[in-house]
Amino acid sequence: MDINDTLSKSVKASLVPGTSTKIWKNKHISTKPDTTVLVAVALQDHIIRNLQLQNLSLSDTFKTKPRAKMNCYRPIDRNTAKPVVDTGIKRKEKKKRKDEEKEYVLDPKPTGLTLAQKMGLVDAPKAPLTDSEWQLVKKRSVQQGDSAQPCVICREEFGIQQQVLLSCSHVFHRICMQAFEMFSGRKSCPMCRKEQYQTRVIHDGARLHRIKCATRIQAYWRGYIVHKWYKQLRRSVPPKDRKLRRRFYEDKLQEINDRLVRSCDINIDELFFEIDQSMAISRRVLQQFQRQCVCTISEEEWEQIQLKAIQREVFDCPICITPLDHLISTMCHAAAEGPDRREKCGPMRQTVLLSCSHTFHYTCLKAFEDFSEGEKHICPLCRSTYQKKIL
């Protein structure tokens, strides 16, 4: 039989009517010597048990881990053990699914009443809260918004970490509350200082954190989609503002130019070599065509060409920038007739007329032909092939 039951029976037997009593903490206790001893023993037992078993919800400070036995046989689980040789057979692993959203109470089962509590010397602990009472406590905590605010102990958001709800409707991190109980050595709420509270694991903070993360992800995704759509709209539709429209078309033109530059070969030497080859081929074709189209010019055509040259009223040689002799001779011939005509007009230089109606000094044109390249000579002014006639 338990000592508490024995002592309680003896106390009840000793507390009979007719004995003298005194008031101790508002309790009527007998003053007999045996009753006083029983009261002292009951109070001492209660104090010792209260100091040894703090009834902490989260921290077990006085519990020690059992020592591991050496050289003990442990049965092998064939479902988890791996063979030494790989047989190629894959075993189906059964994964234990734990309900993460399940709420449960962390307080241990209430121990039996001490002798002092049975005698009425000390108040008995309160009974555990029922599910309906926990729902009311949780409702009051939700109305206060404790899960949406940071933890009071560490001042950080709850996130996906476990959180505990106290019977006083205050919410903390589970690890924070465990550290608080371990270092304080007593069971009292950090906010309202309520002692001997009850704790329950909840997941309101994790649910709010998931909702916040999902909302933030959706906001960023919507912003990215809208930014991408607006950027594509700005690229395709010209704006109405004059400056922005001008900038839009400048960017379009620059984009087209960059695309053309990227599509072309950037080797400048090869480009110039191809240009030289194409010009040489074109020059050769034109020379052959001119050779085929060469025909003799009649006297009448030369007269028309000469008349056209006179209508231009060009009296100087384009090469040496000196007066042409055939015009001076014509003017001298019209002004004076006689033996002293040559003395008045001075020395005469031959003038040549080209088929393109340009006139030069014969010596100037001869020097130009000597210094020019190619078999076919071209006019110094119009760059066309010609036939010449000395006037």
Side-chain angles (χ1 to χ4, degrees):
M1 185 180 295
D2 191 5
I3 186 172
N4 293 333
D5 297 335
T6 305
L7 292 174
S8 61
K9 289 180 180 179
S10 61
V11 168
K12 289 180 179 179
S14 60
L15 294 176
V16 293
T19 60
S20 61
T21 60
K22 67 176 180 179
I23 299 175
W24 186 82
K25 289 187 179 180
N26 299 326
K27 302 291 182 179
H28 293 278
I29 303 174
S30 176
T31 57
K32 285 187 177 182
D34 53 354
T35 307
T36 306
V37 172
L38 289 176
V39 170
V41 171
L43 292 175
Q44 186 177 6
D45 177 68
H46 176 76
I47 292 171
I48 292 173
R49 291 187 61 180
N50 190 25
L51 290 176
Q52 289 181 352
L53 302 176
Q54 288 290 328
N55 194 19
L56 300 179
S57 301
L58 303 175
S59 61
D60 300 331
T61 55
F62 295 99
K63 293 183 180 179
T64 58
K65 296 182 180 180
R67 294 182 179 179
K69 296 181 179 180
M70 302 298 295
N71 300 327
C72 61
Y73 172 75
R74 296 180 181 178
I76 299 175
D77 189 1
R78 295 185 178 182
N79 294 326
T80 59
K82 296 182 180 180
V84 179
V85 180
D86 188 6
T87 58
I89 301 175
K90 295 183 179 180
R91 298 178 180 179
K92 296 181 179 180
E93 297 180 357
K94 296 181 180 180
K95 297 182 179 180
K96 297 181 180 181
R97 296 182 179 178
K98 296 182 179 180
D99 191 2
E100 296 181 355
E101 298 294 334
K102 185 178 179 180
E103 298 181 357
Y104 53 93
V105 180
L106 287 176
D107 295 292
K109 294 181 179 180
T111 57
L113 299 177
T114 62
L115 180 59
Q117 291 174 350
K118 290 180 179 179
M119 294 174 60
L121 302 177
V122 181
D123 294 335
K126 294 182 179 180
L129 298 178
T130 60
D131 292 339
S132 59
E133 292 175 347
W134 275 117
Q135 293 297 329
L136 294 176
V137 173
K138 186 177 180 180
K139 184 177 180 181
R140 188 164 62 251
S141 175
V142 171
Q143 291 177 356
Q144 294 174 0
D146 293 341
S147 298
Q149 298 176 2
C151 176
V152 178
I153 299 176
C154 64
R155 300 304 301 170
E156 293 183 1
E157 294 184 358
F158 289 102
I160 58 175
Q161 299 179 4
Q162 289 186 353
Q163 57 182 145
V164 290
L165 172 66
L166 307 187
S167 56
C168 56
S169 72
H170 293 134
V171 182
F172 308 94
H173 278 128
R174 180 175 180 177
I175 54 176
C176 296
M177 200 63 198
Q178 181 178 356
F180 181 81
E181 289 183 355
M182 182 175 61
F183 287 105
S184 63
R186 57 194 182 91
K187 191 173 181 181
S188 63
C189 178
M191 294 187 67
C192 62
R193 305 303 178 186
K194 180 181 179 180
E195 296 184 356
Q196 300 302 324
Y197 50 79
Q198 299 182 28
T199 55
R200 183 182 179 92
V201 175
I202 61 174
H203 305 280
D204 293 349
R207 185 171 62 255
L208 293 176
H209 181 71
R210 293 192 190 97
I211 294 173
K212 186 186 294 183
C213 293
T215 305
R216 188 174 298 176
I217 292 171
Q218 291 177 1
Y220 278 112
W221 175 251
R222 291 193 185 99
Y224 170 74
I225 293 297
V226 172
H227 180 72
K228 187 177 180 181
W229 170 79
Y230 181 72
K231 195 174 181 180
Q232 185 66 25
L233 182 66
R234 288 294 301 270
R235 288 180 179 178
S236 58
V237 180
K240 296 181 179 180
D241 187 54
R242 185 176 180 181
K243 293 182 179 179
L244 296 178
R245 183 183 292 271
R246 181 179 179 181
R247 181 67 179 275
F248 172 79
Y249 286 114
E250 287 178 356
D251 294 341
K252 279 290 183 181
L253 182 60
Q254 184 66 30
E255 184 180 354
I256 294 172
N257 292 336
D258 295 341
R259 195 183 306 164
L260 291 175
V261 170
R262 287 194 300 267
S263 63
C264 297
D265 192 3
I266 59 175
N267 194 344
I268 304 299
D269 296 335
E270 292 183 1
L271 178 62
F272 287 162
F273 181 72
E274 291 179 359
I275 292 173
D276 294 339
Q277 284 185 343
S278 62
M279 289 182 65
I281 294 171
S282 301
R283 189 181 295 111
R284 195 178 303 116
V285 171
L286 290 175
Q287 289 177 358
Q288 291 178 1
F289 180 74
Q290 289 176 358
R291 289 172 186 172
Q292 293 177 1
C293 296
V294 170
C295 59
T296 57
I297 301 175
S298 61
E299 292 294 335
E300 296 179 357
E301 292 177 349
W302 278 116
E303 289 179 359
Q304 293 179 359
I305 292 171
Q306 187 175 2
L307 181 60
K308 187 176 180 180
I310 293 171
Q311 290 177 356
R312 286 184 177 177
E313 297 180 356
V314 178
F315 305 107
D316 296 332
C317 175
I319 298 176
C320 63
I321 318 299
T322 56
L324 296 170
D325 294 339
H326 77 286
L327 296 175
I328 297 174
S329 62
T330 305
M331 293 171 63
C332 292
H333 182 73
E337 291 291 341
D340 56 349
R341 177 170 56 89
R342 185 175 296 275
E343 297 177 357
K344 293 181 180 179
C345 296
M348 303 293 293
R349 286 197 300 175
Q350 291 182 346
T351 303
V352 63
L353 175 64
L354 305 185
S355 58
C356 57
S357 71
H358 295 130
T359 54
F360 305 91
H361 286 135
Y362 179 75
T363 55
C364 296
L365 185 62
K366 184 73 168 99
F368 180 80
E369 291 176 353
D370 293 340
F371 284 102
S372 62
E373 296 180 356
E375 299 178 356
K376 202 72 175 177
H377 302 296
I378 58 176
C379 175
L381 295 178
C382 62
R383 302 297 179 181
S384 62
T385 56
Y386 58 86
Q387 297 182 21
K388 57 185 177 180
K389 178 182 179 183
I390 300 175
L391 298 177

